[in-house]
Amino acid sequence: MIRLLAAALFILGLTGSLHAATLDSIKARGTLKCGVNPNLQGFAAKGEDGAWAGFDVDFCRAVAAAALGDPAKVEYVPLNAQQRFDAVASGEVDILARNTTWTMERETKLPLRFPGISYHDGQGFIVKRLLGVTSALNLSGAAICFQTGTTSEANVEDFFREKEMVFQPVRFEKLDELIKAFDEGKCDTMTTDVSFLYAVRLRLSNPDDGLVLQDVISKEPLGPVIRQGDDQWFNIVRWTLFALINAEEMGVTAATVDQYKAESKRADIRRLLGVEGTFGADMGLDADWAARAIKATGNYGEIFARNLGEQTPLQISRGINALWNAGGLLYAPPVR
């Protein structure tokens, strides 16, 4: 009931002051509440020691370092696909970092805002090699497993209609049930974001049996999500993301932040690291906000390599998530 009320008030435009001081609330509480995937290797998952790790986890650590001065001051809230938007709208979490696609409907119909794109993805398919399928065009008539509460089924409907193909949907609410069903052969394929499928493959009883097809049928720009109505918090989350991207482009790493801050003569680096300008103060933070974020997690490239890259079990290449000047789509506005 509380969640529904909060969402309704947002839609009516009556909560401008209700969530206008997210930063103040976080500081008073002493922790950042970050909504994450319950168990998606590479993005958010608990290790044997009980500690959270992953690409999305690191982003929340960077935001906490920028806003609170300490990357450890994060409370991770596991959320499934059905829970995630209510949790943001109701204030249960301050930020959602959970492989969530930025769409027009989610930002205009729901009380949400997407500060930026942290991972460029697309929807694909995974099959068992024994099926003999090498292309999504061979999947007409297939039983396809979907997780409810996502855009996956709608994307497949669009693709199959265009190609004059048919399919049989098999729906599951919980991710574990979905993966188990595919692993046990209760559907011919499952579909979701390609990055997700690499993690799914590792959870099969025999990972070598799984084949992620090369076909990509949609654009899936993934990124953090916050509530509407707080421009200050929107700016903090957005510019933390941009700071991590700009740091990679400038060559500033976790290990070299202090050196660059003390010695660099480059104006763009000096602005990023708080030596020049009032960029932190303009958001209600101190001058070291970006330096702390970069030092806590590394730049974007370091975060990607540590959690998703070719030296990890997922073995995902940078591809379109490379910097714009290295053949990818990753681009951040300047700090100036």
Side-chain angles (χ1 to χ4, degrees), residues 7-152:
L9 288 173
F10 264 114
I11 294 170
L12 291 172
L14 299 178
T15 59
S17 62
L18 182 60
H19 294 300
T22 305
L23 179 60
D24 292 340
S25 297
I26 292 170
K27 286 182 174 179
R29 185 193 311 130
T31 57
L32 169 71
K33 290 187 176 181
C34 174
V36 294
N37 197 300
N39 185 19
L40 179 56
Q41 185 169 348
F43 284 88
K46 267 189 176 182
E48 293 182 359
D49 60 356
W52 286 92
F55 181 89
D56 291 331
V57 169
D58 275 347
F59 181 69
C60 286
R61 293 179 67 242
V63 174
L68 291 174
D70 187 344
K73 291 184 175 180
V74 185
E75 177 184 345
Y76 298 100
V77 182
L79 298 170
N80 63 32
Q82 293 73 37
Q83 298 169 324
R84 54 184 168 170
F85 297 137
D86 278 348
V88 178
S90 68
E92 181 181 346
V93 297
D94 305 304
I95 182 172
L96 176 69
R98 191 201 173 282
N99 54 296
T100 298
T101 301
W102 185 356
T103 70
M104 180 177 180
E105 183 176 59
R106 287 173 174 175
E107 198 168 59
T108 58
K109 188 175 182 179
L110 301 178
L112 309 174
R113 292 200 75 186
F114 288 76
I117 300 171
S118 59
Y119 190 95
H120 297 270
D121 211 341
Q123 186 172 326
F125 300 87
I126 186 171
V127 297
K128 296 288 185 66
R129 293 182 186 274
L130 291 176
L131 194 62
V133 170
T134 57
S135 167
L137 296 175
N138 304 137
L139 290 174
S140 186
I144 303 179
C145 280
F146 299 96
Q147 185 177 17
T148 57
T150 70
T151 58
S152 297

Side-chain angles (χ1 to χ4, degrees), residues 99 101 121-124 152 191-198 220 222:
N99 54 296
T101 301
D121 211 341
Q123 186 172 326
S152 297
T191 180
T192 185
D193 300 340
V194 172
S195 60
F196 202 142
L197 294 177
Y198 282 103
E220 304 296 330
L222 310 182

Side-chain angles (χ1 to χ4, degrees), residues 183-204:
D183 198 20
E184 294 177 348
K186 295 180 180 177
C187 49
D188 301 305
T189 180
M190 67 168 286
T191 180
T192 185
D193 300 340
V194 172
S195 60
F196 202 142
L197 294 177
Y198 282 103
V200 167
R201 180 178 173 274
L202 295 177
R203 293 179 59 181
L204 301 179

Side-chain angles (χ1 to χ4, degrees), residues 91-321:
E92 181 181 346
V93 297
D94 305 304
I95 182 172
L96 176 69
R98 191 201 173 282
N99 54 296
T100 298
T101 301
W102 185 356
T103 70
M104 180 177 180
E105 183 176 59
R106 287 173 174 175
E107 198 168 59
T108 58
K109 188 175 182 179
L110 301 178
L112 309 174
R113 292 200 75 186
F114 288 76
I117 300 171
S118 59
Y119 190 95
H120 297 270
D121 211 341
Q123 186 172 326
F125 300 87
I126 186 171
V127 297
K128 296 288 185 66
R129 293 182 186 274
L130 291 176
L131 194 62
V133 170
T134 57
S135 167
L137 296 175
N138 304 137
L139 290 174
S140 186
I144 303 179
C145 280
F146 299 96
Q147 185 177 17
T148 57
T150 70
T151 58
S152 297
E153 187 168 352
N155 289 336
V156 169
E157 289 173 351
D158 290 345
F159 176 77
F160 273 59
R161 185 184 307 112
E162 176 188 345
K163 303 300 182 184
E164 298 183 346
M165 297 161 55
V166 296
F167 69 94
Q168 176 186 345
V170 184
R171 304 178 182 91
F172 295 90
E173 182 173 328
K174 296 181 179 179
L175 176 61
D176 289 344
E177 295 174 349
L178 171 63
I179 296 173
K180 185 173 185 289
F182 171 68
D183 198 20
E184 294 177 348
K186 295 180 180 177
C187 49
D188 301 305
T189 180
M190 67 168 286
T191 180
T192 185
D193 300 340
V194 172
S195 60
F196 202 142
L197 294 177
Y198 282 103
V200 167
R201 180 178 173 274
L202 295 177
R203 293 179 59 181
L204 301 179
S205 54
N206 187 353
D208 289 340
D209 288 347
L211 173 66
V212 178
L213 301 180
Q214 294 299 308
D215 308 79
V216 176
I217 66 171
S218 70
K219 292 189 298 184
E220 304 296 330
L222 310 182
V225 189
I226 64 168
R227 297 180 292 277
Q228 289 183 9
D230 191 337
D231 289 342
Q232 179 193 37
W233 185 237
F234 176 85
N235 285 335
I236 290 171
V237 175
R238 163 177 272 189
W239 283 97
T240 299
L241 173 60
F242 289 163
L244 299 174
I245 296 171
N246 277 320
E248 181 183 8
E249 185 176 339
M250 296 173 189
V252 180
T253 67
T256 62
V257 169
D258 291 337
Q259 179 183 354
Y260 273 101
K261 185 176 179 181
E263 301 175 5
S264 180
K265 299 297 190 281
R266 283 181 51 175
D268 55 351
I269 292 179
R270 290 170 66 84
R271 289 192 296 265
L272 175 67
L273 300 183
V275 180
E276 295 181 2
T278 61
F279 304 102
D282 295 340
M283 297 189 298
L285 303 178
D286 62 20
D288 290 330
W289 66 279
R292 283 196 303 271
I294 299 162
K295 195 169 184 177
T297 64
N299 63 39
Y300 182 94
E302 291 178 281
I303 295 172
F304 190 102
R306 179 169 58 250
N307 296 296
L308 308 173
E310 295 180 356
Q311 302 305 312
T312 71
L314 294 180
Q315 299 181 334
I316 300 176
S317 65
R318 285 293 291 270
I320 58 175
N321 288 293

